[in-house]
mmCIF file of all heavy atoms in Angstrom:
data_model
loop_
_atom_site.group_PDB
_atom_site.id
_atom_site.type_symbol
_atom_site.label_atom_id
_atom_site.label_comp_id
_atom_site.label_asym_id
_atom_site.label_seq_id
_atom_site.Cartn_x
_atom_site.Cartn_y
_atom_site.Cartn_z
ATOM 1 N N GLY A 1 0.810 -1.212 0.000
ATOM 2 C CA GLY A 1 0.000 0.000 0.000
ATOM 3 C C GLY A 1 0.843 1.262 0.000
ATOM 4 O O GLY A 1 1.807 1.373 0.751
ATOM 5 N N ARG A 2 0.492 2.206 -0.870
ATOM 6 C CA ARG A 2 1.184 3.496 -0.954
ATOM 7 C C ARG A 2 0.170 4.600 -0.689
ATOM 8 O O ARG A 2 -0.948 4.567 -1.223
ATOM 9 C CB ARG A 2 1.806 3.704 -2.345
ATOM 10 C CG ARG A 2 2.727 2.599 -2.779
ATOM 11 C CD ARG A 2 3.321 2.862 -4.161
ATOM 12 N NE ARG A 2 2.314 3.171 -5.164
ATOM 13 C CZ ARG A 2 1.563 2.260 -5.777
ATOM 14 N NH1 ARG A 2 1.675 0.977 -5.449
ATOM 15 N NH2 ARG A 2 0.678 2.611 -6.691
ATOM 16 N N ILE A 3 0.572 5.577 0.088
ATOM 17 C CA ILE A 3 -0.298 6.730 0.346
ATOM 18 C C ILE A 3 -0.224 7.650 -0.861
ATOM 19 O O ILE A 3 0.848 8.158 -1.202
ATOM 20 C CB ILE A 3 0.134 7.467 1.618
ATOM 21 C CG1 ILE A 3 0.016 6.544 2.836
ATOM 22 C CG2 ILE A 3 -0.708 8.720 1.835
ATOM 23 C CD1 ILE A 3 0.658 7.092 4.093
ATOM 24 N N VAL A 4 -1.353 7.844 -1.538
ATOM 25 C CA VAL A 4 -1.365 8.663 -2.744
ATOM 26 C C VAL A 4 -2.046 10.010 -2.530
ATOM 27 O O VAL A 4 -1.876 10.921 -3.340
ATOM 28 C CB VAL A 4 -2.035 7.907 -3.912
ATOM 29 C CG1 VAL A 4 -1.217 6.682 -4.284
ATOM 30 C CG2 VAL A 4 -3.469 7.506 -3.581
ATOM 31 N N LYS A 5 -2.823 10.126 -1.456
ATOM 32 C CA LYS A 5 -3.453 11.407 -1.144
ATOM 33 C C LYS A 5 -3.493 11.617 0.361
ATOM 34 O O LYS A 5 -3.745 10.671 1.108
ATOM 35 C CB LYS A 5 -4.884 11.480 -1.690
ATOM 36 C CG LYS A 5 -4.992 11.737 -3.175
ATOM 37 C CD LYS A 5 -6.442 11.918 -3.589
ATOM 38 C CE LYS A 5 -6.569 12.175 -5.074
ATOM 39 N NZ LYS A 5 -7.987 12.350 -5.488
ATOM 40 N N ILE A 6 -3.244 12.849 0.791
ATOM 41 C CA ILE A 6 -3.458 13.253 2.182
ATOM 42 C C ILE A 6 -4.194 14.578 2.153
ATOM 43 O O ILE A 6 -3.774 15.523 1.464
ATOM 44 C CB ILE A 6 -2.130 13.390 2.954
ATOM 45 C CG1 ILE A 6 -1.416 12.039 3.049
ATOM 46 C CG2 ILE A 6 -2.381 13.932 4.349
ATOM 47 C CD1 ILE A 6 -0.095 12.095 3.784
ATOM 48 N N ASN A 7 -5.317 14.638 2.865
ATOM 49 C CA ASN A 7 -6.159 15.844 2.872
ATOM 50 C C ASN A 7 -6.543 16.287 1.464
ATOM 51 O O ASN A 7 -6.589 17.485 1.157
ATOM 52 C CB ASN A 7 -5.446 16.979 3.609
ATOM 53 C CG ASN A 7 -5.227 16.663 5.077
ATOM 54 O OD1 ASN A 7 -6.119 16.141 5.738
ATOM 55 N ND2 ASN A 7 -4.038 16.965 5.583
ATOM 56 N N GLY A 8 -6.767 15.307 0.588
ATOM 57 C CA GLY A 8 -7.196 15.608 -0.773
ATOM 58 C C GLY A 8 -6.102 15.999 -1.729
ATOM 59 O O GLY A 8 -6.349 16.186 -2.923
ATOM 60 N N GLU A 9 -4.859 16.122 -1.252
ATOM 61 C CA GLU A 9 -3.739 16.513 -2.100
ATOM 62 C C GLU A 9 -2.939 15.289 -2.515
ATOM 63 O O GLU A 9 -2.658 14.409 -1.703
ATOM 64 C CB GLU A 9 -2.817 17.494 -1.353
ATOM 65 C CG GLU A 9 -3.486 18.793 -0.940
ATOM 66 C CD GLU A 9 -3.833 19.665 -2.137
ATOM 67 O OE1 GLU A 9 -3.085 19.617 -3.139
ATOM 68 O OE2 GLU A 9 -4.847 20.377 -2.070
ATOM 69 N N LYS A 10 -2.544 15.245 -3.799
ATOM 70 C CA LYS A 10 -1.766 14.116 -4.290
ATOM 71 C C LYS A 10 -0.396 14.075 -3.635
ATOM 72 O O LYS A 10 0.286 15.094 -3.513
ATOM 73 C CB LYS A 10 -1.589 14.194 -5.812
ATOM 74 C CG LYS A 10 -2.813 13.737 -6.589
ATOM 75 C CD LYS A 10 -2.475 13.620 -8.066
ATOM 76 C CE LYS A 10 -3.671 13.081 -8.838
ATOM 77 N NZ LYS A 10 -3.366 12.939 -10.276
ATOM 78 N N VAL A 11 0.004 12.879 -3.212
ATOM 79 C CA VAL A 11 1.330 12.700 -2.633
ATOM 80 C C VAL A 11 2.317 12.294 -3.703
ATOM 81 O O VAL A 11 3.462 12.697 -3.724
ATOM 82 C CB VAL A 11 1.289 11.625 -1.514
ATOM 83 C CG1 VAL A 11 2.684 11.294 -1.016
ATOM 84 C CG2 VAL A 11 0.422 12.112 -0.371
ATOM 85 N N GLU A 12 1.873 11.486 -4.651
ATOM 86 C CA GLU A 12 2.742 11.036 -5.732
ATOM 87 C C GLU A 12 1.878 10.705 -6.928
ATOM 88 O O GLU A 12 0.681 10.510 -6.826
ATOM 89 C CB GLU A 12 3.544 9.805 -5.320
ATOM 90 C CG GLU A 12 2.673 8.616 -4.967
ATOM 91 C CD GLU A 12 3.487 7.412 -4.571
ATOM 92 O OE1 GLU A 12 3.882 7.338 -3.405
ATOM 93 O OE2 GLU A 12 3.715 6.551 -5.435
ATOM 94 N N GLU A 13 2.537 10.657 -8.107
ATOM 95 C CA GLU A 13 1.813 10.289 -9.315
ATOM 96 C C GLU A 13 1.648 8.783 -9.339
ATOM 97 O O GLU A 13 2.606 8.038 -9.214
ATOM 98 C CB GLU A 13 2.618 10.735 -10.551
ATOM 99 C CG GLU A 13 1.840 10.650 -11.852
ATOM 100 C CD GLU A 13 0.686 11.649 -11.907
ATOM 101 O OE1 GLU A 13 0.805 12.687 -11.267
ATOM 102 O OE2 GLU A 13 -0.302 11.358 -12.590
ATOM 103 N N THR A 14 0.433 8.317 -9.462
ATOM 104 C CA THR A 14 0.204 6.874 -9.481
ATOM 105 C C THR A 14 -1.061 6.581 -10.250
ATOM 106 O O THR A 14 -1.885 7.459 -10.484
ATOM 107 C CB THR A 14 0.086 6.311 -8.049
ATOM 108 O OG1 THR A 14 0.045 4.892 -8.126
ATOM 109 C CG2 THR A 14 -1.175 6.789 -7.352
ATOM 110 N N ILE A 15 -1.203 5.354 -10.648
ATOM 111 C CA ILE A 15 -2.416 4.920 -11.336
ATOM 112 C C ILE A 15 -3.340 4.321 -10.305
ATOM 113 O O ILE A 15 -3.023 3.313 -9.697
ATOM 114 C CB ILE A 15 -2.085 3.893 -12.436
ATOM 115 C CG1 ILE A 15 -1.223 4.546 -13.510
ATOM 116 C CG2 ILE A 15 -3.345 3.312 -13.031
ATOM 117 C CD1 ILE A 15 -0.718 3.592 -14.549
ATOM 118 N N CYS A 16 -4.486 4.931 -10.079
ATOM 119 C CA CYS A 16 -5.402 4.425 -9.072
ATOM 120 C C CYS A 16 -6.837 4.393 -9.601
ATOM 121 O O CYS A 16 -7.792 4.515 -8.864
ATOM 122 C CB CYS A 16 -5.324 5.249 -7.785
ATOM 123 S SG CYS A 16 -5.584 7.009 -8.033
ATOM 124 N N ASN A 17 -6.954 4.269 -10.960
ATOM 125 C CA ASN A 17 -8.273 4.286 -11.561
ATOM 126 C C ASN A 17 -8.639 2.957 -12.215
ATOM 127 O O ASN A 17 -9.531 2.908 -13.057
ATOM 128 C CB ASN A 17 -8.359 5.422 -12.590
ATOM 129 C CG ASN A 17 -7.316 5.272 -13.685
ATOM 130 O OD1 ASN A 17 -6.535 4.333 -13.673
ATOM 131 N ND2 ASN A 17 -7.318 6.211 -14.619
ATOM 132 N N LEU A 18 -7.931 1.881 -11.860
ATOM 133 C CA LEU A 18 -8.189 0.557 -12.388
ATOM 134 C C LEU A 18 -8.048 0.498 -13.908
ATOM 135 O O LEU A 18 -8.694 -0.295 -14.570
ATOM 136 C CB LEU A 18 -9.585 0.061 -11.974
ATOM 137 C CG LEU A 18 -9.819 -0.038 -10.478
ATOM 138 C CD1 LEU A 18 -11.213 -0.587 -10.211
ATOM 139 C CD2 LEU A 18 -8.791 -0.930 -9.828
ATOM 140 N N ASP A 19 -7.171 1.370 -14.492
ATOM 141 C CA ASP A 19 -6.921 1.337 -15.926
ATOM 142 C C ASP A 19 -5.886 0.267 -16.213
ATOM 143 O O ASP A 19 -4.688 0.522 -16.245
ATOM 144 C CB ASP A 19 -6.429 2.720 -16.388
ATOM 145 C CG ASP A 19 -6.190 2.771 -17.886
ATOM 146 O OD1 ASP A 19 -6.454 1.748 -18.550
ATOM 147 O OD2 ASP A 19 -5.736 3.808 -18.382
ATOM 148 N N HIS A 20 -6.329 -0.968 -16.444
ATOM 149 C CA HIS A 20 -5.413 -2.089 -16.596
ATOM 150 C C HIS A 20 -4.646 -2.063 -17.920
ATOM 151 O O HIS A 20 -3.720 -2.843 -18.104
ATOM 152 C CB HIS A 20 -6.184 -3.408 -16.480
ATOM 153 C CG HIS A 20 -6.797 -3.601 -15.126
ATOM 154 N ND1 HIS A 20 -6.038 -3.808 -13.996
ATOM 155 C CD2 HIS A 20 -8.083 -3.565 -14.717
ATOM 156 C CE1 HIS A 20 -6.834 -3.936 -12.952
ATOM 157 N NE2 HIS A 20 -8.080 -3.788 -13.356
ATOM 158 N N MET A 21 -5.050 -1.191 -18.841
ATOM 159 C CA MET A 21 -4.334 -1.086 -20.112
ATOM 160 C C MET A 21 -3.061 -0.274 -19.977
ATOM 161 O O MET A 21 -2.206 -0.296 -20.860
ATOM 162 C CB MET A 21 -5.246 -0.437 -21.174
ATOM 163 C CG MET A 21 -6.472 -1.269 -21.514
ATOM 164 S SD MET A 21 -6.040 -2.882 -22.205
ATOM 165 C CE MET A 21 -5.294 -2.367 -23.747
ATOM 166 N N HIS A 22 -2.898 0.459 -18.891
ATOM 167 C CA HIS A 22 -1.735 1.344 -18.751
ATOM 168 C C HIS A 22 -1.055 1.175 -17.403
ATOM 169 O O HIS A 22 -0.640 2.141 -16.778
ATOM 170 C CB HIS A 22 -2.159 2.809 -18.960
ATOM 171 C CG HIS A 22 -2.769 3.067 -20.290
ATOM 172 N ND1 HIS A 22 -4.129 3.012 -20.505
ATOM 173 C CD2 HIS A 22 -2.201 3.343 -21.496
ATOM 174 C CE1 HIS A 22 -4.385 3.271 -21.780
ATOM 175 N NE2 HIS A 22 -3.229 3.469 -22.404
ATOM 176 N N LEU A 23 -0.923 -0.051 -16.973
ATOM 177 C CA LEU A 23 -0.219 -0.317 -15.723
ATOM 178 C C LEU A 23 1.290 -0.196 -15.934
ATOM 179 O O LEU A 23 1.794 -0.486 -17.030
ATOM 180 C CB LEU A 23 -0.550 -1.729 -15.229
ATOM 181 C CG LEU A 23 -1.982 -1.943 -14.738
ATOM 182 C CD1 LEU A 23 -2.223 -3.419 -14.478
ATOM 183 C CD2 LEU A 23 -2.241 -1.141 -13.483
ATOM 184 N N PRO A 24 2.037 0.225 -14.939
ATOM 185 C CA PRO A 24 3.491 0.308 -15.074
ATOM 186 C C PRO A 24 4.098 -1.076 -15.289
ATOM 187 O O PRO A 24 3.619 -2.062 -14.744
ATOM 188 C CB PRO A 24 3.939 0.913 -13.727
ATOM 189 C CG PRO A 24 2.811 0.674 -12.796
ATOM 190 C CD PRO A 24 1.559 0.653 -13.615
ATOM 191 N N ASP A 25 5.163 -1.131 -16.115
ATOM 192 C CA ASP A 25 5.826 -2.396 -16.436
ATOM 193 C C ASP A 25 7.316 -2.241 -16.187
ATOM 194 O O ASP A 25 8.072 -1.821 -17.087
ATOM 195 C CB ASP A 25 5.551 -2.774 -17.893
ATOM 196 C CG ASP A 25 6.044 -4.177 -18.229
ATOM 197 O OD1 ASP A 25 6.853 -4.714 -17.443
ATOM 198 O OD2 ASP A 25 5.626 -4.721 -19.266
ATOM 199 N N PRO A 26 7.806 -2.563 -14.963
ATOM 200 C CA PRO A 26 9.220 -2.351 -14.636
ATOM 201 C C PRO A 26 10.159 -3.195 -15.500
ATOM 202 O O PRO A 26 11.276 -2.779 -15.800
ATOM 203 C CB PRO A 26 9.309 -2.751 -13.158
ATOM 204 C CG PRO A 26 8.100 -3.571 -12.901
ATOM 205 C CD PRO A 26 7.047 -3.084 -13.828
ATOM 206 N N ILE A 27 9.734 -4.396 -15.906
ATOM 207 C CA ILE A 27 10.590 -5.249 -16.747
ATOM 208 C C ILE A 27 10.794 -4.601 -18.114
ATOM 209 O O ILE A 27 11.913 -4.563 -18.651
ATOM 210 C CB ILE A 27 9.975 -6.655 -16.883
ATOM 211 C CG1 ILE A 27 9.946 -7.343 -15.520
ATOM 212 C CG2 ILE A 27 10.765 -7.494 -17.881
ATOM 213 C CD1 ILE A 27 9.269 -8.684 -15.514
ATOM 214 N N LYS A 28 9.705 -4.089 -18.677
ATOM 215 C CA LYS A 28 9.813 -3.402 -19.964
ATOM 216 C C LYS A 28 10.739 -2.197 -19.855
ATOM 217 O O LYS A 28 11.565 -1.936 -20.743
ATOM 218 C CB LYS A 28 8.423 -2.963 -20.435
ATOM 219 C CG LYS A 28 8.448 -2.238 -21.767
ATOM 220 C CD LYS A 28 7.061 -1.760 -22.154
ATOM 221 C CE LYS A 28 7.110 -0.946 -23.447
ATOM 222 N NZ LYS A 28 5.780 -0.407 -23.800
ATOM 223 N N ASP A 29 10.624 -1.447 -18.751
ATOM 224 C CA ASP A 29 11.487 -0.275 -18.555
ATOM 225 C C ASP A 29 12.953 -0.673 -18.491
ATOM 226 O O ASP A 29 13.824 0.004 -19.065
ATOM 227 C CB ASP A 29 11.083 0.448 -17.264
ATOM 228 C CG ASP A 29 9.698 1.071 -17.363
ATOM 229 O OD1 ASP A 29 9.190 1.227 -18.477
ATOM 230 O OD2 ASP A 29 9.114 1.381 -16.298
ATOM 231 N N GLU A 30 13.251 -1.788 -17.805
ATOM 232 C CA GLU A 30 14.633 -2.268 -17.716
ATOM 233 C C GLU A 30 15.163 -2.672 -19.088
ATOM 234 O O GLU A 30 16.312 -2.392 -19.445
ATOM 235 C CB GLU A 30 14.710 -3.460 -16.757
ATOM 236 C CG GLU A 30 14.529 -3.109 -15.287
ATOM 237 C CD GLU A 30 15.738 -2.383 -14.719
ATOM 238 O OE1 GLU A 30 16.834 -2.514 -15.294
ATOM 239 O OE2 GLU A 30 15.584 -1.672 -13.713
ATOM 240 N N LEU A 31 14.328 -3.363 -19.870
ATOM 241 C CA LEU A 31 14.745 -3.787 -21.213
ATOM 242 C C LEU A 31 14.990 -2.590 -22.124
ATOM 243 O O LEU A 31 15.943 -2.585 -22.924
ATOM 244 C CB LEU A 31 13.677 -4.706 -21.818
ATOM 245 C CG LEU A 31 13.550 -6.096 -21.181
ATOM 246 C CD1 LEU A 31 12.356 -6.846 -21.764
ATOM 247 C CD2 LEU A 31 14.829 -6.918 -21.382
ATOM 248 N N GLU A 32 14.138 -1.569 -21.993
ATOM 249 C CA GLU A 32 14.338 -0.359 -22.794
ATOM 250 C C GLU A 32 15.655 0.321 -22.431
ATOM 251 O O GLU A 32 16.382 0.810 -23.298
ATOM 252 C CB GLU A 32 13.160 0.605 -22.579
ATOM 253 C CG GLU A 32 11.850 0.156 -23.186
ATOM 254 C CD GLU A 32 11.868 0.176 -24.696
ATOM 255 O OE1 GLU A 32 12.718 0.882 -25.273
ATOM 256 O OE2 GLU A 32 11.043 -0.524 -25.308
ATOM 257 N N GLU A 33 15.949 0.349 -21.119
ATOM 258 C CA GLU A 33 17.201 0.951 -20.668
ATOM 259 C C GLU A 33 18.405 0.156 -21.173
ATOM 260 O O GLU A 33 19.417 0.725 -21.597
ATOM 261 C CB GLU A 33 17.211 1.009 -19.137
ATOM 262 C CG GLU A 33 18.366 1.781 -18.532
ATOM 263 C CD GLU A 33 18.337 3.253 -18.915
ATOM 264 O OE1 GLU A 33 17.242 3.817 -19.095
ATOM 265 O OE2 GLU A 33 19.446 3.835 -19.037
ATOM 266 N N LEU A 34 18.291 -1.177 -21.150
ATOM 267 C CA LEU A 34 19.362 -2.055 -21.642
ATOM 268 C C LEU A 34 19.560 -1.868 -23.140
ATOM 269 O O LEU A 34 20.702 -1.807 -23.635
ATOM 270 C CB LEU A 34 19.016 -3.504 -21.327
ATOM 271 C CG LEU A 34 20.062 -4.570 -21.686
ATOM 272 C CD1 LEU A 34 21.374 -4.312 -20.947
ATOM 273 C CD2 LEU A 34 19.544 -5.968 -21.359
ATOM 274 N N LYS A 35 18.464 -1.768 -23.884
ATOM 275 C CA LYS A 35 18.539 -1.553 -25.333
ATOM 276 C C LYS A 35 19.243 -0.230 -25.649
ATOM 277 O O LYS A 35 20.079 -0.136 -26.559
ATOM 278 C CB LYS A 35 17.134 -1.562 -25.915
ATOM 279 C CG LYS A 35 17.082 -1.382 -27.423
ATOM 280 C CD LYS A 35 15.649 -1.409 -27.906
ATOM 281 C CE LYS A 35 15.573 -1.145 -29.410
ATOM 282 N NZ LYS A 35 14.169 -1.115 -29.889
ATOM 283 N N LYS A 36 18.909 0.796 -24.864
ATOM 284 C CA LYS A 36 19.531 2.105 -25.057
ATOM 285 C C LYS A 36 21.037 2.036 -24.808
ATOM 286 O O LYS A 36 21.834 2.608 -25.558
ATOM 287 C CB LYS A 36 18.871 3.108 -24.101
ATOM 288 C CG LYS A 36 19.155 4.560 -24.414
ATOM 289 C CD LYS A 36 18.515 5.486 -23.384
ATOM 290 C CE LYS A 36 16.993 5.336 -23.399
ATOM 291 N NZ LYS A 36 16.362 6.277 -22.412
ATOM 292 N N ARG A 37 21.431 1.294 -23.767
ATOM 293 C CA ARG A 37 22.849 1.155 -23.438
ATOM 294 C C ARG A 37 23.601 0.393 -24.523
ATOM 295 O O ARG A 37 24.733 0.756 -24.884
ATOM 296 C CB ARG A 37 22.974 0.426 -22.089
ATOM 297 C CG ARG A 37 24.392 0.218 -21.602
ATOM 298 C CD ARG A 37 25.101 1.525 -21.349
ATOM 299 N NE ARG A 37 26.432 1.313 -20.828
ATOM 300 C CZ ARG A 37 27.410 2.208 -20.919
ATOM 301 N NH1 ARG A 37 27.183 3.370 -21.511
ATOM 302 N NH2 ARG A 37 28.596 1.947 -20.413
ATOM 303 N N ILE A 38 22.966 -0.655 -25.068
ATOM 304 C CA ILE A 38 23.596 -1.437 -26.148
ATOM 305 C C ILE A 38 23.799 -0.566 -27.376
ATOM 306 O O ILE A 38 24.863 -0.622 -28.039
ATOM 307 C CB ILE A 38 22.729 -2.670 -26.495
ATOM 308 C CG1 ILE A 38 22.793 -3.679 -25.340
ATOM 309 C CG2 ILE A 38 23.177 -3.324 -27.793
ATOM 310 C CD1 ILE A 38 21.813 -4.822 -25.478
ATOM 311 N N ASN A 39 22.811 0.255 -27.706
ATOM 312 C CA ASN A 39 22.943 1.161 -28.855
ATOM 313 C C ASN A 39 24.091 2.140 -28.646
ATOM 314 O O ASN A 39 24.839 2.453 -29.592
ATOM 315 C CB ASN A 39 21.631 1.922 -29.076
ATOM 316 C CG ASN A 39 20.543 1.032 -29.630
ATOM 317 O OD1 ASN A 39 20.832 -0.008 -30.244
ATOM 318 N ND2 ASN A 39 19.285 1.414 -29.434
#
């Protein structure tokens, strides 16, 4: 669990609307970073 709002103010940027088409993908991010380094 992450605190995303306190007193109605956003604490951090996060997906909290059940949009399963745009969930963060840390593995994809790592592969993109690796691809960039190889290039």
Side-chain angles (χ1 to χ4, degrees):
R2 305 180 308 281
I3 298 169
V4 295
K5 283 185 180 180
I6 296 179
N7 296 317
E9 299 292 328
K10 281 190 176 181
V11 173
E12 61 180 83
E13 191 67 28
T14 188
I15 296 174
C16 55
N17 59 0
L18 300 182
D19 182 2
H20 296 292
M21 296 299 294
H22 301 93
L23 291 172
D25 188 344
I27 295 176
K28 180 183 176 183
D29 293 343
E30 289 288 338
L31 290 174
E32 290 291 339
E33 188 63 32
L34 184 60
K35 181 180 177 182
K36 195 182 298 182
R37 181 63 177 157
I38 290 171
N39 288 337

